[in-house]
Amino acid sequence: MSRMGLCTVWYLSLLSSLIQVSLAEKDFFTSIGQMTDLLYTEKDLVTSLKDYVQAEESKLEKIKKWADKLDSLSATATQDPEGFLGHPVNAFKLMKRLNTEWAELESLVLKDMTDVFISNLTIQRQYFPTNEDQTGAAKALLRLQDTYQLDTNTISTGNLPGVTYRSTMTAEDCFELGKIAYTEADYYHTELWMAQALKQLDEGEESAVDKVTVLDYLSYAIYQQGEMERALELTNRLLEIDPDHQRANSNVKYFEYQLKKQHQEESEKAMKGQEKREKRAPKTKRKRTNDPLPERNRYEQLCRGEGVKLTPRRQSRLFCRYFDNGRSPRYLLGPVKQEDEWDSPRIVRYHDIISESEIATVKELAKPRLRRATISNPVTGVLETAHYRISKSAWLTAYEHPVVAKINQRIEDITGLNMDTAEELQVANYGVGGQYEPHFDFGRKDEPDAFKELGTGNRIATWLFYMSNVTAGGATVFPDVGAAVWPIKGTAVFWYNLFASGEGDYSTRHAACPVLVGNKWVSNKWIHERGQEFRRPCGLTEVE
Ligand SMILES: *[C@@H]1O[C@H](CO)[C@@H](O)[C@H](O)[C@H]1NC(C)=O
Ligand SMILES: *[C@@H]1O[C@H](CO)[C@@H](O)[C@H](O)[C@H]1NC(C)=O
C-alpha cells in the first residue's frame, strides 16, 4: 500500500470554524516560526537567573562579613576571656550577639533566594519542549545527515553551507545524539555519533561523558551490525581504561566465544573443500537502518542538487516571458514574469508575484495558528501526524484579511481558474529538517472518495508561493521526472495535477526536501476541478 495515502488536511479547513481542532500542540521542532518564541523565553529566564545569582551572592557576602567579624572578635576574646568580659560593654555585646544576632544570622542563612527564579521557571516550563521535541530535533539532524550525505565531523564542527551562526557540537552533544539513535535501535547512526564523541574525547576535549561510557555504546552498536571483531577490539579498549567493567568483561568472553565458533566453522568448511569464497572479503559498507527505497534515493539526490534530468535540448526550449493570460484586464498593464521550470509535467514559475509586505502579513496571520501538519490515514481516515510530513501549517480564508483575498484573486487572474472551488490558502513553515516526502496532490483512482466531502472534484492544479529563501536545502523536487525547483522568495510555481481529460498526471509526484540551513515558508492553493469546465486555458495544456 502507498505510504503516502491522502496527504492532506483539506477538511480541517472546513471543520476548523465549527470545532476547535486540538492537534499535537507543541512539536516545536517542526517549525522555526514558533521556536523563535522559545529564544525570548530563554532570554527572560536568564535575566531572572542572573538576578537570583546576584541575590545569593549578596546574601553570602553578608554572611561572610559576619563570620569574619566574629572570627577576629572571638580570637581576641579567647586569648583572655576574663579580661575581655571584664569590660561591661563586651559583656553586654556578648548577650546581644547570642540572643538576637545569631538568630538573625540563622534566618539570613535559611532565607530562600530561589523563590522568584523558581516560580518563573515553573511557569515557563509548561511551555518548554518535551522529550518528543528533543527526539524529533535529533531525528531531524540524522535525516539531514543522510539526505545531504554529511559526515559527523562536518555537522559537529558546524561547517554547513551558508551558515551565519556557526555552532559546534561538544562530545556530550554527539553522545546524546548517538543515544537517541540507540533508543531508536538505529545502530548505524549510534555508531557514527558515538565514534564522533570518542574522537573528540581522544582529541582531549574536556567533557562530562567519559570514554568508557562511549565505548560501551559504540562497541554494542558495532556488534549489532555484525562486526564481532571490531566490537571485541573496542571492548578491549574499554577494559584497558576500566578493567573491572562487568558487562565489558562478560561481553569479551561472549565475543571471543562467538569468534572462535565462526573460525571453527570456517576451517571445517575449508577442510571439506567446498568453500573457496574469499574469506576475509572486504566488509560490505554498512547500511542505514531504514534502507532507502529507490524513489527515496532519487528524492535525496535531487535534494542535493544532483541528478536533475533535463537534456540541453529540452533545456533550450524553456523560456522566460512576460505573461498575461489574455483574459484578465488586471494584468494587461503589468504583465507578470513567467519562466518555464520544466517541460513535462509543465511547471512554470512566476517572479515577483507576491510582495514583501504581503508575505509579512500572511506570516503574521498564520503564525499563531500554525499546527503540526497532519495526513489523513488512508485506512481509518483519522488525521494524524507522520514522520514523512514534518512542518506546521495554517489555513487562511479570504474574509479574514484583504491581503488573502487579493492573493486569491491574483491566482485566479493568472491561472484563469476559478478560485470559488479551491481550498483555502494554506501556509506552511518548515523548520530545520522539515520535509514532505514524495506524494501526489491529487486523489488517485484507488481513493475515489478523496475529495468527496468537498464536492468540488479532484485537485486539478497546485499553486505554490515561496515566501522565504532557504539557505540550504528545501527544494521542491519531482523524483519521477528528475526535476528540482529551488525556493526563491516572492516567486510562485504552478502546475496541473490532472490532464485535460481529468486523468491524474502521475509525473507530478513531488516532495519538499528537508531544510538543511534556514527557515522555509511557503503557501499554497489547491485548485479543484469544479468550475473550471470552460476555463482551463489551452496555453497551459499544450505539452500534455
Ligand atoms: C520573573 O519574575 C519577575 C518578578 O516576579 C518578573 O518581573 C519577571 O518578568 C519574571 N520573568 C519571567 C521570565 O517570567
Ligand atoms: C533570495 O534569493 C534570490 C535569488 O537567489 C535573491 O535574488 C534575493 O535577493 C534573495 N532574497 C532575500 C530576501 O534574501
Side-chain angles (χ1 to χ4, degrees):
M1 186 175 53
S2 155
R3 270 164 86 217
M4 294 310 142
L6 172 57
C7 302
T8 54
V9 263
W10 50 269
Y11 69 79
L12 240 188
S13 61
L14 300 177
L15 294 178
S16 59
S17 51
L18 301 173
I19 46 166
Q20 190 57 45
V21 184
S22 163
L23 300 171
E25 284 298 338
K26 291 188 185 170
D27 288 332
F28 280 115
F29 70 92
T30 58
S31 149
I32 288 192
Q34 288 180 330
M35 280 200 294
T36 52
D37 293 345
L38 290 178
L39 284 182
Y40 293 108
T41 303
E42 199 176 36
K43 185 164 177 269
D44 288 346
L45 279 177
V46 169
T47 309
S48 180
L49 179 62
K50 280 182 154 170
D51 289 347
Y52 160 70
V53 169
Q54 208 165 35
E56 284 285 15
E57 274 174 353
S58 81
K59 168 178 147 180
L60 264 185
E61 196 55 38
K62 272 187 215 157
I63 296 170
K64 205 163 146 258
K65 267 195 193 137
W66 223 80
D68 288 345
K69 191 184 84 181
L70 275 187
D71 193 27
S72 62
L73 192 70
S74 58
T76 324
T78 49
Q79 270 172 15
D80 175 15
E82 284 181 18
F84 181 80
L85 289 176
H87 195 303
V89 172
N90 282 344
F92 165 71
K93 279 181 136 178
L94 178 65
M95 295 305 111
K96 175 167 170 273
R97 273 205 309 279
L98 293 179
N99 185 42
T100 56
E101 292 185 16
W102 276 99
E104 281 167 17
L105 182 71
E106 181 183 35
S107 35
L108 179 61
V109 169
L110 286 177
K111 188 164 176 208
D112 185 8
M113 314 303 283
T114 63
D115 50 356
V116 173
F117 170 65
I118 292 297
S119 71
N120 270 346
L121 184 61
T122 312
I123 292 167
Q124 297 299 339
R125 272 276 270 284
Q126 311 170 62
Y127 309 109
F128 274 15
T130 59
N131 279 340
E132 287 80 67
D133 283 302
Q134 192 181 336
T135 308
K139 286 203 221 159
L141 247 179
L142 299 179
R143 201 161 45 238
L144 290 173
Q145 176 174 20
D146 292 340
T147 305
Y148 295 103
Q149 294 182 340
L150 304 167
D151 63 47
T152 44
N153 204 51
T154 304
I155 299 178
S156 182
T157 54
N159 212 356
L160 301 176
V163 292
T164 326
Y165 306 98
R166 192 161 150 176
S167 176
T168 58
M169 289 172 74
T170 62
E172 197 180 344
D173 293 334
C174 297
F175 171 74
E176 289 298 330
L177 193 51
K179 231 169 68 177
I180 286 172
Y182 170 84
T183 55
E184 302 281 316
D186 172 358
Y187 300 114
Y188 168 79
H189 287 111
T190 310
E191 179 191 340
L192 291 178
W193 285 100
M194 290 300 168
Q196 179 66 27
L198 187 64
K199 175 173 174 277
Q200 292 183 207
L201 293 177
D202 281 344
E203 285 165 2
E205 184 181 316
E206 287 286 320
S207 179
V209 286
D210 56 274
K211 286 187 194 177
V212 168
T213 313
V214 174
L215 280 164
D216 198 11
Y217 278 97
L218 182 57
S219 59
Y220 184 76
I222 288 172
Y223 158 69
Q224 278 291 344
Q225 295 175 92
E227 281 196 68
M228 207 79 74
E229 271 166 55
R230 256 191 352 119
L232 176 62
E233 221 172 88
L234 287 159
T235 312
N236 278 325
R237 200 183 145 191
L238 189 163
L239 286 172
E240 279 169 29
I241 310 173
D242 181 4
D244 300 327
H245 196 285
Q246 259 186 356
R247 187 172 41 245
N249 274 307
S250 69
N251 283 348
V252 161
K253 288 197 197 99
Y254 174 75
F255 292 152
E256 281 171 349
Y257 170 75
Q258 290 291 341
L259 279 168
K260 211 168 110 193
K261 216 166 80 177
Q262 264 180 25
H263 290 153
Q264 263 170 6
E265 280 166 11
E266 273 168 23
S267 56
E268 271 167 32
K269 274 187 200 159
M271 291 227 288
K272 284 183 195 154
Q274 40 150 258
E275 241 279 328
K276 253 289 174 160
R277 241 180 41 208
E278 64 268 45
K279 235 169 78 190
R280 202 123 330 283
K283 287 259 160 17
T284 48
K285 208 160 176 275
R286 272 182 312 286
K287 298 253 182 65
R288 280 157 55 177
T289 316
N290 304 315
D291 211 11
L293 301 165
E295 180 183 54
R296 172 131 204 131
N297 271 333
R298 273 198 308 279
Y299 157 58
E300 295 187 348
Q301 242 186 3
L302 289 167
C303 289
R304 294 194 296 271
E306 301 162 9
V308 174
K309 284 189 261 171
L310 194 61
T311 57
R313 196 181 145 90
R314 279 165 70 194
Q315 178 76 49
S316 70
R317 295 206 204 104
L318 301 183
F319 291 105
C320 265
R321 66 187 72 78
Y322 283 99
F323 169 83
D324 69 81
N325 75 6
R327 59 169 75 228
S328 167
R330 280 190 185 79
Y331 285 94
L332 288 181
L333 286 175
V336 294
K337 279 178 269 176
Q338 187 195 55
E339 179 187 4
D340 296 328
E341 280 281 347
W342 205 256
D343 51 2
S344 178
R346 183 154 188 227
I347 306 165
V348 294
R349 189 197 296 262
Y350 296 96
H351 288 268
D352 304 317
I353 203 68
I354 182 167
S355 71
E356 290 283 341
S357 76
E358 285 168 336
I359 289 174
T361 305
V362 168
K363 282 189 194 169
E364 282 319 304
L365 288 171
K367 241 182 173 177
R369 270 188 272 157
L370 289 173
R371 293 287 179 274
R372 175 81 188 262
T374 53
I375 55 108
S376 129
N377 182 311
V379 179
T380 62
V382 172
L383 291 179
E384 53 191 37
T385 63
H387 69 278
Y388 53 82
R389 186 176 190 192
I390 300 176
S391 65
K392 288 196 167 178
S393 53
W395 299 89
L396 302 182
T397 51
Y399 58 75
E400 286 178 67
H401 197 284
V403 161
V404 180
K406 215 165 103 188
I407 288 170
N408 289 344
Q409 184 62 51
R410 188 170 309 147
I411 301 172
E412 171 153 344
D413 290 340
I414 294 172
T415 62
L417 297 173
N418 187 339
M419 290 301 120
D420 295 344
T421 55
E423 292 167 57
E424 305 298 0
L425 189 71
Q426 181 175 229
V427 182
N429 179 221
Y430 294 81
V432 166
Q435 62 169 354
Y436 194 173
E437 289 186 11
H439 62 281
F440 300 104
D441 280 352
F442 62 89
R444 264 88 59 227
K445 282 226 176 72
D446 58 346
E447 316 169 306
D449 296 341
F451 302 109
K452 200 168 159 191
E453 285 169 58
L454 295 177
T456 53
N458 211 339
R459 284 189 185 141
I460 189 173
T462 297
W463 178 283
L464 178 67
F465 285 112
Y466 293 109
M467 304 202 303
S468 70
N469 283 349
V470 182
T471 312
T476 309
V477 299
F478 295 71
D480 283 10
V481 297
V485 178
W486 297 88
I488 302 175
K489 191 175 186 183
T491 70
V493 288
F494 174 79
W495 67 85
Y496 276 101
N497 295 303
L498 307 180
F499 292 114
S501 62
E503 286 288 306
D505 181 352
Y506 282 73
S507 72
T508 60
R509 189 168 170 81
H510 60 284
C513 294
V515 174
L516 177 57
V517 179
N519 186 12
K520 181 180 174 187
W521 283 93
V522 295
S523 68
N524 67 284
K525 195 83 181 157
W526 278 312
I527 303 164
H528 281 249
E529 287 177 290
R530 284 297 95 71
Q532 320 303 352
E533 290 79 359
F534 305 104
R535 286 200 180 213
R536 185 171 183 169
C538 303
L540 288 172
T541 61
E542 61 200 4
V543 288
E544 286 153 8

